Amino acid sequence: MTKRYVMVHDENKCIGCQACNVACRSENGVPEGVTRLQVRVEGPFGEMPHLHFKYHRVSCQQCEDAPCVKVCPTGAAYVGEDGIVSIHGDKCVGCMYCVAACPYKVRFMNPETKVADKCNFCKDTRLARGEEPACVTVCPTDALVFGDANDPQSDVAKLLNTKITYQDKTHLGTKPRVYRVPTKRGGI
Amino acid sequence: MNNTWGDMAQYDPVTWHWIIAVYLFMAGLSAGSLLIGIGLRWFNKDQAQGETSILKAAAIIGPVAICLGLACLVFDLTKPFHFWLILINYNFQSVMAIGVLALLAYSPLAFAYAILVLRDELPKWGLGFLVPIAKLLMPFRKLIEVLLFILAIGVGAYTGFLISAMNAYPMLNTAVLPALFLVSGLSAGAAANAVLALVMFKTDSHDKTLAKMHGLELPVMAIEIMFLFMLFCALYFKGGAAAVALASLTSGVWASVFWIGVVGVGFGIPLLFMLLPAATRHSKGAMIMVACASLTGVLALRHFIVYAGQSYLS
Ligand code: SF4
Ligand code: SF4
Ligand code: SF4
């Protein structure tokens, strides 16, 4: 069966510590000034004293119907056999069409390679070595779960079957593979 | 950087800047001027007196504008010296790849057509060595014209399809955009043809073809205004993020660019001149001024669409 890598971010467990952000930078050699992953702390929401914050993971959604792949003139932005949306650096001319077309604004031009860049589920680094993505491994509260959703025995599949999740901007038909467990309650 | 998650610069939704707006303008101008030039030639049955100055103007603007536009495009790449990658790798799902193919055919044809139309002028400009090529091309004139005309429609509309193919931006992701860009390209083309014909080829401002082209301006402008209206109506009735994007008409610098540049200068000045007595209206100075106002309006429209369009996300 083909793989369907997905990631779940539990916004109840997340504390916005940015450990994932830092781990991603060092694992994937992301230069200063740009990021593949940020966890934005949004809010506070609610009335005093029941304030709560929302932890919003901002990274490539690994769209199943990816606008960046559709618009790329050279095919540099592509879907691999593992289903992961990634970039052939040597084919990229740097037209920024994909950066403009990404509805989540998570693509950027890498200032060192001059090539489009974004989260690729650590495809070239940790995944290639059979390890879990850096952000998942480092998370102190285990807010991130990664795996093959087509494997019913995997942790992600079980999680998706038992918890309520949502995805960002589903109305655009991109079918994001980053799922989020919504914040349930307030309290700082 | 004053938050825990880092620099936000890369998340600015405005990815493409003025240089892309200029490219879209130049490509539209090139296509528009050739469409007008060739269209009028077909429409004018009396071709006895040789090439009209409008056609000669179009033959220059066509290739020159597309080259300037492409230069903008290439130098806006992060890897400008690898631009050839885009010529050897094609993803046919991508509007840009299809545009590259169209431009690969369009640009050389525009040059060929220029050599053909300007064959009597070339020796005066020290380009006499091109005249034999013109002689060679002459038998294929009709074929070149038809192909160029079709490709010009493609290029003009392509500039709109390029940015309407992104569903990330509600104002850009509309069906009227390619049509709007094609028509506003026509009005830019007509204006630039008029300027060049009057200034470079010293056409009399009562010239017949010039008058015919002049007659096209009002209907073209009316269609342009209608398409703009349709664009804003579509956003309004779609609601949600699309309706929010309408705020670009009432606030911020792009609202000024729209109301002053597109509406005031681009539509207002040409319309005001139409109210003047015929003698003043048809003076060379007045015609050049109106044409420059139209060109400014079209350039402003491209900037408004590119910037305001990218400022609002779905
Ligand atoms: S989130 Fe953006 S970069 Fe990632 S696959 Fe979707 S469109 Fe492409
Ligand atoms: S910047 Fe590179 S990856 Fe993105 S669309 Fe252009 S060529 Fe493709
Ligand atoms: S999966 Fe890898 S590349 Fe993607 S955000 Fe996590 S660490 Fe970064």
Side-chain angles (χ1 to χ4, degrees):
Chain A
M1 191 155 53
T2 56
K3 290 208 185 299
R4 186 168 169 271
Y5 286 120
V6 302
M7 190 176 285
V8 183
H9 178 225
D10 190 332
E11 293 171 359
N12 289 295
K13 290 185 177 169
C14 181
I15 52 170
C17 68
Q18 311 299 330
C20 51
N21 179 333
V22 175
C24 175
R25 181 179 304 285
S26 68
E27 180 66 61
N28 297 298
V30 181
E32 273 306 309
V34 288
T35 36
R36 287 185 175 191
L37 164 64
Q38 295 187 339
V39 176
R40 302 226 182 107
V41 185
E42 293 164 2
F45 299 101
E47 295 270 338
M48 274 288 267
H50 303 291
L51 297 178
H52 71 275
F53 289 91
K54 183 179 153 40
Y55 301 102
H56 187 207
R57 180 183 161 108
V58 180
S59 67
C60 173
Q61 306 296 298
Q62 288 294 340
C63 307
E64 259 162 277
D65 194 350
C68 58
V69 174
K70 245 187 250 173
V71 299
C72 176
T74 63
Y78 74 105
V79 183
E81 279 178 13
D82 48 10
I84 294 177
V85 179
S86 193
I87 297 140
H88 289 303
D90 52 353
K91 274 194 181 178
C92 175
V93 278
C95 66
M96 313 230 277
Y97 201 4
C98 58
V99 178
C102 170
Y104 304 92
K105 295 295 127 202
V106 293
R107 283 180 91 94
F108 55 92
M109 298 313 291
N110 184 313
E112 281 169 9
T113 58
K114 309 278 182 215
V115 161
D117 202 339
K118 66 177 191 67
C119 161
N120 59 0
F121 281 168
C122 288
K123 180 185 169 108
D124 307 323
T125 51
R126 297 186 58 95
L127 214 55
R129 301 194 295 264
E131 297 163 338
E132 294 217 292
C135 53
V136 176
T137 313
V138 82
C139 177
T141 61
D142 283 335
L144 291 169
V145 182
F146 172 85
D148 176 11
N150 278 349
D151 170 6
Q153 298 313 315
S154 68
D155 290 345
V156 262
K158 288 181 194 156
L159 188 60
L160 288 176
N161 275 336
T162 52
K163 288 222 168 158
I164 290 177
T165 54
Y166 74 101
Q167 297 139 288
D168 266 358
K169 297 192 182 186
T170 45
H171 63 284
L172 294 176
T174 49
K175 300 195 202 121
R177 275 176 290 194
V178 171
Y179 293 79
R180 300 144 195 280
V181 180
T183 316
K184 278 203 286 287
R185 38 141 205 107
I188 320 180
Chain B
M1 188 165 121
N2 49 9
N3 49 50
T4 51
W5 50 87
D7 210 321
M8 294 284 282
Q10 88 192 49
Y11 298 97
D12 181 356
V14 180
T15 304
W16 279 339
H17 288 270
W18 63 269
I19 200 151
I20 295 297
V22 173
Y23 160 64
L24 298 177
F25 170 76
M26 286 296 176
L29 170 65
S30 166
S33 81
L34 278 171
L35 283 174
I36 297 265
I38 297 175
L40 283 174
R41 180 182 134 84
W42 288 346
F43 188 70
N44 267 352
K45 291 288 166 268
D46 44 336
Q47 287 158 8
Q49 72 291 53
E51 314 292 351
T52 63
S53 16
I54 296 290
L55 188 61
K56 285 193 243 173
I60 295 178
I61 295 162
V64 170
I66 201 65
C67 285
L68 291 176
L70 288 175
C72 286
L73 190 64
V74 167
F75 284 102
D76 198 45
L77 298 175
T78 55
K79 288 160 65 177
F81 300 107
H82 287 81
F83 76 92
W84 48 269
L85 283 170
I86 210 170
L87 302 176
I88 56 167
N89 296 298
Y90 289 92
N91 164 21
F92 291 105
Q93 271 190 310
S94 165
V95 177
M96 193 183 281
I98 295 167
V100 168
L101 277 181
L103 288 170
L104 269 183
Y106 173 85
S107 313
L109 266 183
F111 272 104
Y113 193 57
I115 292 173
L116 205 158
V117 169
L118 299 166
R119 61 196 175 278
D120 294 337
E121 257 71 26
L122 292 172
K124 285 184 242 163
W125 301 333
L127 296 167
F129 62 94
L130 291 172
V131 175
I133 303 183
K135 294 238 160 64
L136 232 72
L137 291 171
M138 214 49 188
F140 307 105
R141 173 162 193 163
K142 191 77 195 179
L143 180 69
I144 295 177
E145 253 170 15
V146 172
L147 282 177
L148 198 54
F149 194 83
I150 296 169
L151 284 166
I153 296 177
V155 168
Y158 147 73
T159 59
F161 280 115
L162 183 72
I163 58 174
S164 74
M166 299 187 283
N167 67 355
Y169 305 108
M171 193 198 281
L172 302 183
N173 191 218
T174 54
V176 273
L177 209 63
L180 172 66
F181 273 25
L182 181 60
V183 176
S184 78
L186 284 179
S187 78
N193 284 352
V195 173
L196 218 62
L198 288 164
V199 174
M200 194 168 165
F201 299 106
K202 307 273 180 285
T203 309
D204 177 58
S205 55
H206 297 278
D207 177 84
K208 261 196 358 229
T209 330
L210 191 64
K212 276 215 182 88
M213 191 170 75
H214 209 50
L216 284 176
E217 274 165 22
L218 195 60
V220 165
M221 196 189 294
I223 297 173
E224 219 180 315
I225 293 173
M226 186 183 77
F227 282 157
L228 267 172
F229 185 69
M230 284 162 68
L231 173 71
F232 297 136
C233 280
L235 293 179
Y236 179 74
F237 290 118
K238 200 166 179 194
V244 171
L246 284 175
S248 55
L249 283 179
T250 47
S251 61
V253 55
W254 301 109
S256 320
V257 168
F258 181 79
W259 292 109
I260 299 171
V262 180
V263 177
V265 178
F267 299 143
I269 292 183
L271 286 175
L272 274 182
F273 267 80
M274 281 177 199
L275 301 175
L276 294 179
T280 333
R281 186 151 47 100
H282 290 146
S283 75
K284 201 164 170 171
M287 288 183 111
I288 291 178
M289 224 168 111
V290 167
C292 289
S294 300
L295 283 167
T296 312
V298 177
L299 187 60
L301 177 67
R302 295 293 190 276
H303 278 81
F304 171 76
I305 296 282
V306 165
Y307 280 95
Q310 288 181 100
S311 299
Y312 297 87
L313 283 172
S314 284

